[in-house]
mmCIF file of all heavy atoms in Angstrom:
data_model
loop_
_atom_site.group_PDB
_atom_site.id
_atom_site.type_symbol
_atom_site.label_atom_id
_atom_site.label_comp_id
_atom_site.label_asym_id
_atom_site.label_seq_id
_atom_site.Cartn_x
_atom_site.Cartn_y
_atom_site.Cartn_z
ATOM 1 N N SER A 105 113.920 152.690 100.347
ATOM 2 C CA SER A 105 113.239 152.485 101.625
ATOM 3 C C SER A 105 112.585 151.117 101.733
ATOM 4 O O SER A 105 112.490 150.558 102.817
ATOM 5 C CB SER A 105 112.177 153.571 101.838
ATOM 6 O OG SER A 105 111.214 153.532 100.789
ATOM 7 N N THR A 106 112.170 150.547 100.592
ATOM 8 C CA THR A 106 111.449 149.271 100.637
ATOM 9 C C THR A 106 112.363 148.060 100.470
ATOM 10 O O THR A 106 112.089 146.990 101.010
ATOM 11 C CB THR A 106 110.377 149.228 99.534
ATOM 12 O OG1 THR A 106 110.997 149.463 98.260
ATOM 13 C CG2 THR A 106 109.306 150.278 99.786
ATOM 14 N N GLN A 107 113.443 148.200 99.713
ATOM 15 C CA GLN A 107 114.405 147.127 99.494
ATOM 16 C C GLN A 107 115.823 147.698 99.658
ATOM 17 O O GLN A 107 116.573 147.825 98.684
ATOM 18 C CB GLN A 107 114.248 146.518 98.096
ATOM 19 C CG GLN A 107 112.921 145.800 97.858
ATOM 20 C CD GLN A 107 112.783 145.345 96.408
ATOM 21 O OE1 GLN A 107 112.251 146.057 95.563
ATOM 22 N NE2 GLN A 107 113.292 144.155 96.112
ATOM 23 N N PRO A 108 116.181 148.057 100.890
ATOM 24 C CA PRO A 108 117.452 148.757 101.105
ATOM 25 C C PRO A 108 118.693 147.998 100.642
ATOM 26 O O PRO A 108 119.653 148.620 100.163
ATOM 27 C CB PRO A 108 117.471 148.981 102.624
ATOM 28 C CG PRO A 108 116.497 147.989 103.186
ATOM 29 C CD PRO A 108 115.438 147.846 102.150
ATOM 30 N N GLU A 109 118.693 146.667 100.759
ATOM 31 C CA GLU A 109 119.864 145.910 100.339
ATOM 32 C C GLU A 109 119.977 145.873 98.808
ATOM 33 O O GLU A 109 121.082 145.882 98.259
ATOM 34 C CB GLU A 109 119.817 144.485 100.899
ATOM 35 C CG GLU A 109 119.895 144.423 102.423
ATOM 36 C CD GLU A 109 121.206 144.985 102.950
ATOM 37 O OE1 GLU A 109 122.209 144.235 102.976
ATOM 38 O OE2 GLU A 109 121.236 146.166 103.343
ATOM 39 N N THR A 110 118.830 145.844 98.137
ATOM 40 C CA THR A 110 118.834 145.924 96.673
ATOM 41 C C THR A 110 119.396 147.274 96.238
ATOM 42 O O THR A 110 120.233 147.350 95.338
ATOM 43 C CB THR A 110 117.408 145.753 96.115
ATOM 44 O OG1 THR A 110 116.882 144.488 96.523
ATOM 45 C CG2 THR A 110 117.398 145.847 94.597
ATOM 46 N N ALA A 111 118.945 148.330 96.894
ATOM 47 C CA ALA A 111 119.443 149.669 96.574
ATOM 48 C C ALA A 111 120.947 149.754 96.828
ATOM 49 O O ALA A 111 121.694 150.341 96.028
ATOM 50 C CB ALA A 111 118.706 150.711 97.413
ATOM 51 N N ARG A 112 121.399 149.148 97.909
ATOM 52 C CA ARG A 112 122.821 149.234 98.253
ATOM 53 C C ARG A 112 123.693 148.526 97.210
ATOM 54 O O ARG A 112 124.737 149.042 96.814
ATOM 55 C CB ARG A 112 123.080 148.651 99.635
ATOM 56 C CG ARG A 112 124.493 148.952 100.148
ATOM 57 C CD ARG A 112 124.709 148.407 101.557
ATOM 58 N NE ARG A 112 123.856 149.025 102.541
ATOM 59 C CZ ARG A 112 124.081 150.218 103.097
ATOM 60 N NH1 ARG A 112 125.158 150.912 102.717
ATOM 61 N NH2 ARG A 112 123.267 150.713 103.985
ATOM 62 N N ILE A 113 123.268 147.345 96.754
ATOM 63 C CA ILE A 113 124.096 146.638 95.777
ATOM 64 C C ILE A 113 124.120 147.398 94.449
ATOM 65 O O ILE A 113 125.120 147.381 93.729
ATOM 66 C CB ILE A 113 123.647 145.170 95.582
ATOM 67 C CG1 ILE A 113 124.747 144.354 94.887
ATOM 68 C CG2 ILE A 113 122.358 145.081 94.798
ATOM 69 C CD1 ILE A 113 125.995 144.169 95.675
ATOM 70 N N ILE A 114 123.049 148.106 94.136
ATOM 71 C CA ILE A 114 123.062 148.949 92.941
ATOM 72 C C ILE A 114 124.073 150.077 93.125
ATOM 73 O O ILE A 114 124.846 150.395 92.205
ATOM 74 C CB ILE A 114 121.655 149.519 92.641
ATOM 75 C CG1 ILE A 114 120.707 148.394 92.190
ATOM 76 C CG2 ILE A 114 121.738 150.594 91.543
ATOM 77 C CD1 ILE A 114 119.266 148.824 92.001
ATOM 78 N N ARG A 115 124.119 150.669 94.322
ATOM 79 C CA ARG A 115 125.102 151.727 94.588
ATOM 80 C C ARG A 115 126.528 151.178 94.501
ATOM 81 O O ARG A 115 127.451 151.882 94.058
ATOM 82 C CB ARG A 115 124.859 152.349 95.969
ATOM 83 C CG ARG A 115 123.548 153.120 96.069
ATOM 84 C CD ARG A 115 123.535 154.083 97.241
ATOM 85 N NE ARG A 115 123.647 153.436 98.544
ATOM 86 C CZ ARG A 115 122.621 152.959 99.237
ATOM 87 N NH1 ARG A 115 121.383 153.025 98.751
ATOM 88 N NH2 ARG A 115 122.811 152.416 100.435
ATOM 89 N N VAL A 116 126.713 149.939 94.912
ATOM 90 C CA VAL A 116 128.021 149.289 94.793
ATOM 91 C C VAL A 116 128.457 149.267 93.332
ATOM 92 O O VAL A 116 129.590 149.633 92.989
ATOM 93 C CB VAL A 116 127.985 147.847 95.355
ATOM 94 C CG1 VAL A 116 129.224 147.060 94.934
ATOM 95 C CG2 VAL A 116 127.871 147.863 96.874
ATOM 96 N N HIS A 117 127.564 148.845 92.461
ATOM 97 C CA HIS A 117 127.907 148.739 91.038
ATOM 98 C C HIS A 117 128.088 150.112 90.385
ATOM 99 O O HIS A 117 128.940 150.273 89.493
ATOM 100 C CB HIS A 117 126.842 147.929 90.304
ATOM 101 C CG HIS A 117 126.851 146.470 90.644
ATOM 102 N ND1 HIS A 117 127.964 145.675 90.466
ATOM 103 C CD2 HIS A 117 125.888 145.658 91.166
ATOM 104 C CE1 HIS A 117 127.690 144.433 90.844
ATOM 105 N NE2 HIS A 117 126.442 144.404 91.278
ATOM 106 N N ILE A 118 127.312 151.100 90.826
ATOM 107 C CA ILE A 118 127.476 152.457 90.300
ATOM 108 C C ILE A 118 128.856 152.992 90.685
ATOM 109 O O ILE A 118 129.575 153.570 89.858
ATOM 110 C CB ILE A 118 126.364 153.388 90.832
ATOM 111 C CG1 ILE A 118 125.014 153.016 90.177
ATOM 112 C CG2 ILE A 118 126.701 154.850 90.545
ATOM 113 C CD1 ILE A 118 123.822 153.773 90.750
ATOM 114 N N ALA A 119 129.247 152.774 91.939
ATOM 115 C CA ALA A 119 130.565 153.225 92.402
ATOM 116 C C ALA A 119 131.681 152.489 91.669
ATOM 117 O O ALA A 119 132.712 153.089 91.325
ATOM 118 C CB ALA A 119 130.685 153.001 93.907
ATOM 119 N N ALA A 120 131.482 151.198 91.405
ATOM 120 C CA ALA A 120 132.497 150.407 90.705
ATOM 121 C C ALA A 120 132.731 150.946 89.305
ATOM 122 O O ALA A 120 133.881 151.087 88.864
ATOM 123 C CB ALA A 120 132.071 148.945 90.641
ATOM 124 N N GLU A 121 131.667 151.250 88.605
ATOM 125 C CA GLU A 121 131.808 151.744 87.236
ATOM 126 C C GLU A 121 132.516 153.092 87.210
ATOM 127 O O GLU A 121 133.257 153.401 86.275
ATOM 128 C CB GLU A 121 130.421 151.855 86.584
ATOM 129 C CG GLU A 121 130.450 152.130 85.104
ATOM 130 C CD GLU A 121 131.137 151.031 84.296
ATOM 131 O OE1 GLU A 121 131.164 149.867 84.754
ATOM 132 O OE2 GLU A 121 131.650 151.344 83.201
ATOM 133 N N ALA A 122 132.315 153.887 88.275
ATOM 134 C CA ALA A 122 132.959 155.198 88.357
ATOM 135 C C ALA A 122 134.370 155.101 88.948
ATOM 136 O O ALA A 122 135.050 156.121 89.080
ATOM 137 C CB ALA A 122 132.111 156.133 89.214
ATOM 138 N N LYS A 123 134.796 153.863 89.292
ATOM 139 C CA LYS A 123 136.110 153.626 89.919
ATOM 140 C C LYS A 123 136.273 154.402 91.226
ATOM 141 O O LYS A 123 137.368 154.836 91.593
ATOM 142 C CB LYS A 123 137.242 153.958 88.945
ATOM 143 C CG LYS A 123 137.305 153.011 87.742
ATOM 144 C CD LYS A 123 138.470 153.347 86.841
ATOM 145 C CE LYS A 123 138.670 152.274 85.771
ATOM 146 N NZ LYS A 123 137.471 152.010 84.953
ATOM 147 N N LYS A 124 135.166 154.570 91.928
ATOM 148 C CA LYS A 124 135.196 155.191 93.255
ATOM 149 C C LYS A 124 135.351 154.058 94.267
ATOM 150 O O LYS A 124 134.394 153.600 94.891
ATOM 151 C CB LYS A 124 133.917 155.990 93.500
ATOM 152 C CG LYS A 124 133.766 157.193 92.567
ATOM 153 C CD LYS A 124 132.491 157.969 92.848
ATOM 154 C CE LYS A 124 132.365 159.180 91.936
ATOM 155 N NZ LYS A 124 131.107 159.952 92.187
#
Side-chain angles (χ1 to χ4, degrees):
S105 60
T106 56
Q107 295 174 269
E109 295 298 277
T110 301
R112 191 178 296 280
I113 196 66
I114 291 174
R115 293 199 297 274
V116 166
H117 289 302
I118 289 174
E121 190 62 26
K123 293 182 171 55
K124 295 180 179 179

